[in-house]
Amino acid sequence: MEASLISGICSAGGKAISAGIIPTPAVAYLVKKIDAVAGIVISASHNPFYDNGIKFFGGDGYKLPDAVEDEIEKIVREIETDDKFARPTGAKIGEVEYRHDLIEDYINFVAGTTSENFSGLKIVLDCANGAAYEAMPKVLQKLGAEVVLLSAKPNGININDDCGSTHIENLRLEVLRQKADIGIAHDGDADRCLCIDERGELIDGDHILIMCAKLMMDENNLPNNTVVTTVMANIGFRQALESFGGRYEVTAVGDRYVLENMLKNGYKIGGEQSGHIIFTDYSTTGDGLITALQVLTAMKKSKKSAHELNKMMTTFPQVLINVKVHNKDQAQKSETVLRAISEGEEELGATGRILVRASGTEPLVRVMAEGPNKAQLERICSKIAAEIEKIG
């Protein structure tokens, strides 16, 4: 895929700079630093290797707007049937430059996003056999941490294979075995970060947002005391944030929508339960390495363990049922479905919530409920799902 992209760029007269295996957020950073017109990442993200695809960044370091992506796709489709674009020849053909040294610029940048030294911290790091395998160990060692490495030998097909942020169990076991202070897991392209505290408990994106937002509030660096999150954020997140005077704004699922809200309103932190966190003080996109450093910084500045910070938020039980449908809109608007939702909401009251939404990529309607009683949630979700199945 890299060879194809490079040849395509050169055939149009462009210069392709190949930076090697580096995190997605590194490309977002470097595209601005070296004044490139665009950045391209080849990655499976948090998926298996056979789902490899490409991500684009504009020259400003931000992901391309939907309208621009649609226009690019239209051009590609037109070229497939009738290529009218003029192609340079001879000396005007583009060139390729291999610059794996650029990763050092990114490493220095990431390390500079914290003023803390992590000497004395023992950290287990799971690189998902992906793009963080070189950069993140160097960042942590540069900042004085003791690092135990997991899944840091990418071979092109083992990315996210029973490792990384989507398969957290290996990290949990190693944190306990090593008696480490914390475990850090990235996904394949390193734009996400999840953690494991010293007792083996998960620190997901909701918990990370709480830890970091509290520190930012304490330092008077959280505009309007607001965190941007999505509709999938746990009720416990909202309760924890409000308990220390914070507030939240909710967007649709997707980091694109989180970032749009942040830029529009001048907010500095936002993200998703999946560990895709954006700090606009530092980056134009989600950066798993920066996120990890902010968690470690919160530990250092608060003089609290990962578990103590993790306890700031209580995660409520959550039940999710996916229902296959032929017509997602019809299923969501059905009177019987709406009635079942209303009855469930009345039963849960202020202690819980119900969210019914269509999948953006699959013929599914997702039924989710949160609250203190899991058996109650399962019963309510099953009732709503049954009504959706009747619509078909």
Side-chain angles (χ1 to χ4, degrees):
M1 291 179 72
E2 181 189 27
S4 296
L5 282 166
I6 287 174
S7 60
I9 292 167
C10 292
S11 75
K15 179 178 182 178
I17 298 177
S18 176
I21 301 175
I22 62 173
T24 287
V27 173
Y29 167 74
L30 291 169
V31 75
K32 291 193 302 177
K33 181 174 175 58
I34 66 173
D35 198 28
V37 297
I40 304 174
V41 181
I42 305 168
S43 178
S45 189
H46 55 281
N47 301 308
F49 78 94
Y50 45 76
D51 285 334
N52 264 321
I54 54 178
K55 295 181 180 181
F56 285 97
F57 291 94
D60 56 2
Y62 290 100
K63 290 180 179 178
L64 299 181
D66 287 341
V68 175
E69 289 191 345
D70 290 344
E71 182 65 20
I72 291 172
E73 184 174 356
K74 180 182 176 184
I75 292 170
V76 171
R77 298 301 183 199
E78 290 174 352
I79 290 174
E80 286 177 346
T81 56
D82 185 13
D83 186 353
K84 298 178 181 178
F85 287 86
R87 302 292 182 189
T89 59
K92 293 183 179 180
I93 292 174
E95 59 181 335
V96 57
E97 184 177 353
Y98 293 93
R99 292 286 310 277
H100 190 58
D101 61 291
L102 290 173
I103 195 172
E104 297 298 330
D105 291 340
Y106 174 67
I107 288 169
N108 291 332
F109 158 69
V110 171
T113 62
T114 181
S115 58
E116 297 299 305
N117 183 278
F118 302 135
S119 178
L121 286 181
K122 186 175 185 179
I123 300 167
V124 181
L125 174 64
D126 185 337
C127 295
N129 288 319
Y133 87 102
E134 180 179 356
M136 191 52 169
K138 287 184 176 180
V139 168
L140 292 175
Q141 289 160 359
K142 187 181 183 74
L143 295 171
E146 177 185 352
V147 182
V148 178
L149 270 178
L150 295 179
S151 302
K153 296 180 179 180
N155 62 16
I157 61 174
N158 61 355
I159 186 171
N160 300 309
D161 186 9
D162 196 28
C163 59
S165 62
T166 51
H167 302 278
I168 210 80
E169 183 61 18
N170 291 337
L171 178 63
R172 187 185 76 82
L173 293 174
E174 193 64 18
V175 166
L176 295 174
R177 193 176 77 83
Q178 294 281 346
K179 295 183 171 55
D181 296 290
I182 191 171
I184 295 169
H186 296 301
D187 65 332
D189 71 334
D191 61 358
R192 299 186 186 193
C193 168
L194 294 180
C195 300
I196 295 290
D197 71 24
E198 72 274 19
R199 298 192 185 183
E201 295 180 13
L202 175 66
I203 304 174
D204 67 14
D206 287 345
H207 287 255
I208 289 172
L209 287 171
I210 290 295
M211 296 175 182
C212 296
K214 181 63 167 65
L215 175 61
M216 294 170 74
M217 282 185 66
D218 290 344
E219 296 182 339
N220 197 30
N221 189 34
L222 189 66
N224 205 23
N225 291 339
T226 299
V227 179
V228 181
T229 185
T230 76
V231 292
M232 293 303 291
N234 194 270
I235 290 179
F237 163 81
R238 305 176 186 203
Q239 292 185 355
L241 188 60
E242 290 172 343
S243 72
F244 54 79
R247 59 181 297 273
Y248 55 85
E249 291 201 5
V250 180
T251 74
V253 174
D255 62 286
R256 179 188 300 273
Y257 305 110
V258 171
L259 182 59
E260 282 177 1
N261 184 295
M262 294 173 70
L263 295 177
K264 178 181 177 181
N265 297 297
Y267 298 138
K268 291 189 174 186
I269 183 173
E272 300 182 278
Q273 205 175 67
S274 63
H276 198 283
I277 313 294
I278 303 170
F279 295 88
T280 53
D281 273 348
Y282 307 118
S283 184
T284 54
T285 189
D287 189 316
L289 286 70
I290 290 175
T291 299
L293 294 196
Q294 294 310 303
V295 171
L296 298 174
T297 299
M299 290 171 61
K300 278 288 188 175
K301 288 189 172 182
S302 67
K303 295 181 171 60
K304 292 181 179 179
S305 70
H307 184 69
E308 287 175 306
L309 292 177
N310 203 15
K311 287 196 302 182
M312 291 172 62
M313 172 186 154
T314 299
T315 299
F316 278 56
Q318 186 180 84
V319 172
L320 176 66
I321 298 178
N322 293 321
V323 186
K324 285 190 176 182
V325 294
H326 295 296
N327 188 318
K328 291 183 280 191
D329 289 337
Q330 183 180 342
Q332 287 180 283
K333 294 176 182 178
S334 162
E335 287 188 13
T336 56
V337 172
L338 293 174
R339 187 181 307 117
I341 294 171
S342 179
E343 291 172 355
E345 290 174 336
E346 185 176 350
E347 182 178 341
L348 287 175
T351 64
R353 71 178 181 123
I354 295 170
L355 176 66
V356 178
R357 68 179 189 91
S359 166
T361 57
E362 300 174 87
L364 301 173
V365 171
R366 307 190 193 280
V367 182
M368 188 272 286
E370 286 178 344
N373 187 318
K374 188 173 183 179
Q376 180 188 36
L377 299 176
E378 289 174 343
R379 176 172 49 77
I380 290 172
C381 275
S382 295
K383 182 178 179 181
I384 296 170
E387 293 297 335
I388 293 174
E389 285 177 343
K390 290 178 184 177
I391 304 301

